Amino acid sequence: MATHTRTPASRRTVRHRLAADVGLLVVAATFVLPLAWVLLSSVDPHANLTVKLPDGVTLDNFDAVLTPEITFTPLLNSLLLCGGGTALTVVCAALAAYPLSRFRSRLNRPFLLTILFATSLPITAIMVPVYALFVQVNLIDTMQGTIFFFAASQLPFAIWLMKNFMDGVPKELEEAAWTDGASPLQSLVRVVLPLMGPGVAVVTVFSFVMMWGNFFVPFMLLLTPEQMPAAVSINEFFGNRGTVIYGQLAAFSVIYSTPVILLYVGVARRLGGGFALGGAVKG
Amino acid sequence: MKRPTRPASGPSPHPVLRSLTRALPLTPATVLLLLFLAGPIAYCAYIAFTDLQLTGQAEDSFIGFENFRTAFGDEAFLNAVWLTLVFTVISALIGQNTLGLALAALMQRASKPVRTLVGGIVVTAWVLPEVVAGFLLYAFFRREGTLNAVLDWLHLPTQNWLYTLPILAVSFANVWRGTAFSMLVYSAALNEIPKEITEAAEVDGAGGWRRLWHITLPMIRRSIGTNLMLITLQTLSVFGLIWVMTRGGPSGKSQTLPLFMYEEAFQKSMIGYGTAVALLLLVVGSLFSVIYLRLLRTEV
């Protein structure tokens, strides 16, 4: 059968594939226009709001925004906030996932259900009370306060993912470590976590990407301009100016977006297209 | 004789002590969640019933359901509820969900390079920071932006989208940004359908639409439920995208509940009132969340 390539069925498959390709490319064309605008405008000396081929390629736009005020300080702030928040999230999630995955307890099910429930709460809704609360306890306009909140808001999903990954590591490997006298903490750090390296990477990258792109949380909780991460500063800087220099706005957008896209690509490649979202949304 | 080992490393004689030691690693996460998530939610439930303001008030007082009564008599609030509904239905239930399913279904058949390319483009839109996505779509929909240039080229009428149809513009922006999620969920679900089943149906002479309706959709209905739940919740809490594109304007025509909440609480300094709106949003979110849990019931 396989040698007869011109059977009606296979011709139909080819036709179907062609139709599917065309359909996908049409949708992709509409998706690509805004992306093309930012890429082309960032190197266009006369960028405006319409997507067009640049009349001459220049790096002036990048030059203009690569200053401490526009780029370096906000990106450093982003790095501090999201790095701190991610570190806290990953450590707490790994610790919490361990007993949930390894020991049977009557508390596991309620805890996991609460976590799953919290995963899908609209965090945006609580930003006003969080602001009011942070004013009362003097955490408003502090990096550490924002980091704590970032970590807490990301934790439910992180614990859930981490637990699912940890379930994939066979218990027998740890038991060997236990007989050698290792404590659970030691076996977690030396045996389990290394074995679920890709899983930890997914949780880390996912948390970081979520925080890096988040606007509302730092917008509410930070007040001094010197502490603003890129998510907020870009809006303040370009949103409140009379005339926007679109080429520079595009250049900054490219600089600000590149790290998370690279991180995402790195993780997605390693784990295949569907990605670990399956851990949370399989149904 | 060997002394009993430390409770942390070996079986302890006391079951209560043992469970406590075992639960110890849960502490940091639990403390963070209680202080920074459960705390604010409880506080939210409290100040929604007070007249807390930012300025010009020595003490807030308990006013019962007054904020909620005000809300339901407030045209701006009802307008925000309506717009939130429109935004959620158009962008999540119809846009992201249908487009995501269509893309995933087409990808099953498409050639590999096209699949990779299209998947990459759609996912990039999803990974972009919220504010950047907002700027890109703002540029796209502006009077002198790309959309009008394309329409002009096709000899179709142009208009100032962000002024005439702002809620539609931000809905499309949310479709652009969020479709990747549904696409990934549905791709995973479709991959799990055994090939034999669709092939058998094909042999029996079931056409594309009938196969979709009678075989594919019933087999992925749990994924459909989960996906609808999650994208509804995500869409209910969109703030940055709309804020960057329209600030909720012009004159409230794209002001969904999160933006209304922000305006009342901060621009008008009515924290109590803003929080009452937040509480309503939380309650709606919790209801969806409970349905979501029931859909996943067998998984935990």
Side-chain angles (χ1 to χ4, degrees):
Chain A
M1 267 307 270
T3 50
H4 296 279
T5 47
R6 286 184 173 273
T7 60
S10 78
R11 221 177 302 145
R12 198 163 64 227
T13 317
V14 171
R15 213 169 57 231
H16 280 165
R17 182 185 301 152
L18 207 66
D21 283 356
V22 171
L24 282 178
L25 288 173
V26 169
V27 177
T30 60
F31 267 78
V32 93
L33 283 174
L35 291 172
W37 176 77
V38 76
L39 286 178
L40 295 173
S41 300
S42 70
V43 293
D44 189 338
H46 306 107
N48 58 22
L49 282 167
T50 315
V51 63
K52 64 178 166 65
L53 284 179
D55 33 335
V57 172
T58 172
L59 289 178
D60 288 354
N61 293 325
F62 286 92
D63 252 0
V65 295
L66 283 174
T67 65
E69 190 207 349
I70 305 179
T71 302
F72 298 122
T73 311
L75 282 189
L76 191 67
N77 290 336
S78 291
L79 201 63
L80 275 175
L81 277 179
C82 308
T86 304
L88 199 57
T89 306
V90 172
V91 170
C92 291
L95 285 173
Y98 188 72
L100 293 172
S101 167
R102 285 326 197 223
F103 306 125
R104 295 170 66 85
S105 157
R106 261 172 302 160
L107 286 177
N108 282 4
R109 203 179 138 80
F111 192 90
L112 281 170
L113 283 175
T114 314
I115 290 294
L116 199 55
F117 175 74
T119 304
S120 31
L121 280 184
I123 296 297
T124 304
I126 61 168
M127 287 321 294
V128 172
V130 168
Y131 174 89
L133 200 63
F134 270 35
V135 170
Q136 304 241 317
V137 296
N138 271 329
L139 273 174
I140 202 72
D141 200 24
T142 62
M143 284 291 216
Q144 68 269 31
T146 313
I147 287 176
F148 282 135
F149 184 76
F150 257 147
S153 65
Q154 202 54 48
L155 255 178
F157 191 60
I159 294 177
W160 184 254
L161 268 186
M162 196 75 99
K163 190 245 170 206
N164 279 343
F165 283 122
M166 214 175 265
D167 286 345
V169 178
K171 208 176 171 182
E172 291 74 37
L173 295 163
E174 253 166 298
E175 280 163 358
W178 285 344
T179 31
D180 291 344
S183 71
L185 184 64
Q186 284 169 327
S187 72
L188 170 67
V189 173
R190 301 234 178 99
V191 182
V192 182
L193 289 180
L195 282 172
M196 50 178 283
V200 178
V202 169
V203 178
T204 310
V205 168
F206 194 81
S207 308
F208 191 84
V209 170
M210 286 291 124
M211 294 176 196
W212 187 266
N214 191 303
F215 167 74
F216 204 24
V217 172
F219 178 65
M220 293 287 292
L221 300 183
L222 295 174
L223 309 171
T224 16
E226 292 74 40
Q227 298 200 73
M228 292 298 182
V232 185
S233 75
I234 181 182
N235 185 51
E236 305 278 309
F237 191 80
F238 291 104
N240 293 340
R241 287 172 20 143
T243 49
V244 178
I245 305 161
Y246 291 106
Q248 294 183 15
L249 172 63
F252 184 85
S253 299
V254 171
I255 297 171
Y256 168 42
S257 310
T258 307
V260 282
I261 292 177
L262 291 182
L263 275 176
Y264 183 87
V265 169
V267 167
R269 272 249 180 100
R270 186 187 283 208
L271 288 143
F275 191 60
L277 282 171
V281 298
K282 69 176 172 211
Chain B
M1 203 181 110
K2 217 180 147 207
R3 282 161 54 90
T5 44
R6 286 168 298 136
S9 60
S12 134
H14 220 290
V16 175
L17 193 65
R18 195 185 59 181
S19 348
L20 276 180
T21 334
R22 284 181 165 183
L24 208 59
L26 284 170
T27 326
T30 312
V31 169
L32 267 181
L33 287 172
L34 284 178
L35 285 181
F36 292 97
L37 222 52
I41 291 175
Y43 194 55
C44 176
Y46 165 70
I47 47 179
F49 295 94
T50 69
D51 59 356
L52 186 61
Q53 292 183 12
L54 271 182
T55 45
Q57 186 193 32
E59 229 171 55
D60 60 288
S61 53
F62 191 80
I63 55 167
F65 284 94
E66 194 53 41
N67 284 327
F68 297 94
R69 265 197 291 276
T70 314
F72 286 103
D74 181 353
E75 258 178 51
F77 170 78
L78 296 175
N79 172 55
V81 171
W82 167 245
L83 288 177
T84 308
L85 208 65
V86 171
F87 182 62
T88 310
V89 169
I90 294 182
S91 69
L93 299 187
I94 297 176
Q96 293 181 9
N97 184 54
T98 318
L99 189 59
L101 180 59
L103 287 174
L106 286 175
M107 281 185 169
Q108 299 281 309
R109 294 219 160 138
S111 58
K112 190 153 191 292
V114 172
R115 203 160 59 209
T116 315
L117 177 76
V118 176
I121 291 170
V122 176
V123 168
T124 304
W126 182 53
V127 182
L128 278 188
E130 203 176 8
V131 179
V132 172
F135 275 131
L136 297 196
L137 275 306
Y138 169 80
F140 185 75
F141 282 111
R142 272 295 295 260
R143 185 193 280 283
E144 59 277 47
T146 304
L147 177 61
N148 278 343
V150 173
L151 290 175
D152 202 38
W153 183 67
L154 293 171
H155 299 292
L156 290 169
T158 63
Q159 54 183 314
N160 192 353
W161 299 98
L162 292 172
Y163 195 78
T164 50
L165 290 166
I167 192 68
L168 213 58
V170 295
S171 298
F172 276 108
N174 195 41
V175 172
W176 185 81
R177 186 169 141 77
T179 297
F181 183 82
S182 302
M183 183 186 82
L184 292 176
V185 171
Y186 286 135
S187 289
L190 291 178
N191 278 333
E192 279 179 19
I193 296 182
K195 278 254 179 316
E196 300 82 55
I197 295 182
T198 35
E199 276 166 12
E202 209 165 346
V203 170
D204 290 346
W209 289 111
R210 283 187 57 189
R211 279 206 307 282
L212 176 73
W213 192 251
H214 290 290
I215 297 168
T216 314
L217 290 183
M219 288 198 73
I220 61 167
R221 67 172 192 283
R222 279 164 58 84
S223 295
I224 298 175
T226 316
N227 183 55
L228 286 178
M229 243 2 86
L230 292 177
I231 59 178
T232 304
L233 286 161
Q234 284 158 9
T235 303
L236 274 182
S237 52
V238 169
F239 179 88
L241 192 68
I242 305 180
W243 180 256
V244 171
M245 286 179 70
T246 67
R247 295 275 195 276
S251 57
K253 278 203 289 181
S254 59
Q255 193 178 50
T256 56
L257 279 173
L259 283 103
F260 177 78
M261 167 193 92
Y262 177 79
E263 187 180 288
E264 292 302 320
F266 290 97
Q267 279 154 359
K268 299 186 185 162
S269 304
M270 311 284 280
I271 296 244
Y273 185 41
T275 307
V277 176
L279 189 62
L280 290 172
L281 206 55
L282 260 186
V283 170
V284 173
S286 310
L287 288 177
F288 277 109
S289 218
V290 168
I291 302 174
Y292 171 56
L293 283 191
R294 292 195 67 96
L295 281 170
L296 288 183
R297 193 171 32 187
T298 50
E299 306 259 327
V300 184

